[in-house]
Amino acid sequence: MQDIAKNNFDFIRVLLAFIVFVGHLGYLSTSPSLEFLKHSPVEVGVFAFFIVSGFLIARSYERTSTLKKYIKKRLNRIVPAYLLVVVLCTVLLSLVSTVSFSEYFSSPQTLRYFLWNSAFMNFMAPNLPGVFGNGAVNGALWTLKIEMCFYFLVPVLFLFFGKNNKYRNISLIVFYFLSLIYLNYFEMIGKVEISRQIPGALCYFIGGMLVYFNFHKFIKHKNILFIIAILTVWIDLIFKIKLFSPIMISIIVLYVAYSFKFLNNFGKYGDFTYGIYIFHFPIIRVFATLGLFSNYNPYFMAFICMLVVIGVGVCSWHLYEKRFL
């Protein structure tokens, strides 16, 4: 039986972060030459992150001896770097603001941005004065409040069905379909942003949990499950409804996680994914604000932007994030 600890999650996270980065680059660069990058499946990348989290967080909670230790581990992983990007954006983006330093730092908008974003309530204050034409400073951060909620939801779910409860699969499937009802309802009435919030994203997180709790069965039948998953996702696409695709995408993601053994050591130099994810959005916007995509070769500047994002992610991990883990 395959060892659950030998996996490709480091590779998958980097791949997903790259998918999100490329898609945002297509939209935020405002360069006609880079518009083709908009076809990058950003939504799939974001929800796949929730799938990976569902698998790994269920595993983490089940293997952690106390609730206190679990919460400490989860907070140390997400909060320090998150607060770092909020602080750095609040301070450093004053350099690209169209208003003066005195007006920028005395503006109530700056304080509101810092306070609301520090509390993971990005939607309450997404903008800084004179920055990016008053557009969203870091549109990637909306997923972090959902991730935090899922961290705290896992202990509640375990209380609901118990750590060794034979009904836990049934319980999770019930929550899965309740989440799907929410997700599909708001998508059908055109409120896509609302559909992606915590209740709607839960089905992807539960998809990862279900695979974890049935890991041995999954590994035994992973090849046939992968084929079924690919076909079923297409059925959902044809009928334009999400019914089986969240759990099927979970199977596809976790199939990749436990296949292709040559990718097992992908993360041996560090876990840069989180830094890449939380910093890429404002970095792209700075490049666009400075006119780098429009005044120079957009393909070359896209490559440079990618290198900067990767460099910031590497520095964030080695100089800051891993100190808390």
Side-chain angles (χ1 to χ4, degrees), residues 175-189 191-203 242:
F175 283 114
Y176 174 83
F177 281 106
L178 289 174
S179 174
L180 283 181
I181 291 170
Y182 175 97
L183 176 63
N184 284 291
Y185 171 74
F186 283 105
E187 282 197 349
M188 283 190 293
I189 65 174
K191 297 185 177 181
V192 178
E193 291 302 319
I194 296 178
S195 74
R196 296 173 179 172
Q197 296 308 312
I198 295 165
L202 182 61
C203 56
K242 292 182 173 71

Side-chain angles (χ1 to χ4, degrees), residues 280-297:
H280 81 273
F281 199 98
I283 290 175
I284 296 172
R285 299 216 70 169
V286 168
F287 269 64
T289 298
L290 297 177
L292 299 181
F293 296 116
S294 55
N295 296 328
Y296 301 94
N297 185 297

Side-chain angles (χ1 to χ4, degrees), residues 15 17 36 38-39 58-59 76 84 120 123 131 160 176 188 204 242 252 273 285 289 292 308 315:
L15 175 63
F36 71 97
K38 292 179 181 180
H39 296 293
R59 178 186 174 202
N76 283 347
L84 177 66
F120 290 85
F123 61 94
V131 174
F160 186 84
Y176 174 83
M188 283 190 293
Y204 293 93
K242 292 182 173 71
I252 293 169
T273 310
R285 299 216 70 169
T289 298
L292 299 181
V308 171
C315 290

Side-chain angles (χ1 to χ4, degrees), residues 55-318:
F55 185 97
L56 295 178
I57 301 310
R59 178 186 174 202
S60 174
Y61 182 73
E62 192 172 54
R63 296 187 174 194
T64 303
S65 57
T66 67
L67 178 62
K68 181 179 179 180
K69 289 181 179 179
Y70 164 79
I71 292 175
K72 183 180 179 181
K73 284 197 298 185
R74 301 277 49 89
L75 292 181
N76 283 347
R77 182 66 192 100
I78 199 169
V79 174
Y82 177 89
L83 292 179
L84 177 66
V85 73
V86 171
V87 170
L88 290 180
C89 282
T90 303
V91 176
L92 296 182
L93 291 181
S94 62
L95 299 173
V96 295
S97 175
T98 56
V99 303
S100 65
F101 284 142
S102 59
E103 184 179 350
Y104 178 90
F105 286 108
S106 63
S107 172
Q109 186 179 355
T110 304
L111 181 60
R112 282 200 303 271
Y113 174 85
F114 175 74
L115 294 177
W116 281 116
N117 281 265
S118 295
F120 290 85
M121 304 287 279
N122 322 94
F123 61 94
M124 294 295 295
N127 311 321
L128 282 167
V131 174
F132 306 147
N134 288 324
V137 169
N138 198 341
L141 296 187
W142 71 272
T143 62
L144 275 300
K145 69 178 183 298
I146 296 177
E147 186 81 0
M148 284 289 288
C149 289
F150 287 162
Y151 286 174
F152 290 105
L153 178 63
V154 165
V156 176
L157 289 175
F158 268 83
L159 284 175
F160 186 84
F161 54 64
K163 282 197 173 185
N164 296 298
N165 193 321
K166 64 180 180 179
Y167 298 114
R168 64 186 175 189
N169 285 337
I170 297 174
S171 302
L172 286 175
I173 289 170
V174 169
F175 283 114
Y176 174 83
F177 281 106
L178 289 174
S179 174
L180 283 181
I181 291 170
Y182 175 97
L183 176 63
N184 284 291
Y185 171 74
F186 283 105
E187 282 197 349
M188 283 190 293
I189 65 174
K191 297 185 177 181
V192 178
E193 291 302 319
I194 296 178
S195 74
R196 296 173 179 172
Q197 296 308 312
I198 295 165
L202 182 61
C203 56
Y204 293 93
F205 190 80
I206 285 177
M209 292 183 71
L210 281 169
V211 174
Y212 171 72
F213 289 131
N214 299 277
F215 181 74
H216 296 304
K217 293 180 182 178
F218 166 76
I219 289 298
K220 183 178 179 180
H221 304 289
K222 69 174 184 176
N223 293 326
I224 187 64
L225 285 172
F226 176 74
I227 295 171
I228 293 171
I230 292 291
L231 296 175
T232 310
V233 167
W234 277 106
I235 292 173
D236 275 16
L237 288 174
I238 291 170
F239 289 99
K240 296 182 179 179
I241 186 172
K242 292 182 173 71
L243 184 57
F244 300 109
S245 54
I247 187 65
M248 293 303 155
I249 293 173
S250 302
I251 289 171
I252 293 169
V253 169
L254 293 163
Y255 172 85
V256 176
Y258 286 96
S259 305
F260 316 112
K261 292 182 179 180
F262 64 92
L263 296 173
N264 282 179
N265 295 320
F266 197 84
K268 63 181 179 180
Y269 298 111
D271 183 3
F272 317 133
T273 310
Y274 187 39
I276 289 172
Y277 182 81
I278 62 177
F279 281 103
H280 81 273
F281 199 98
I283 290 175
I284 296 172
R285 299 216 70 169
V286 168
F287 269 64
T289 298
L290 297 177
L292 299 181
F293 296 116
S294 55
N295 296 328
Y296 301 94
N297 185 297
Y299 303 109
F300 177 72
M301 294 315 302
F303 178 70
I304 296 299
C305 184
M306 181 184 69
L307 292 182
V308 171
V309 168
I310 293 172
V312 170
V314 170
C315 290
S316 176
W317 169 255
H318 283 294

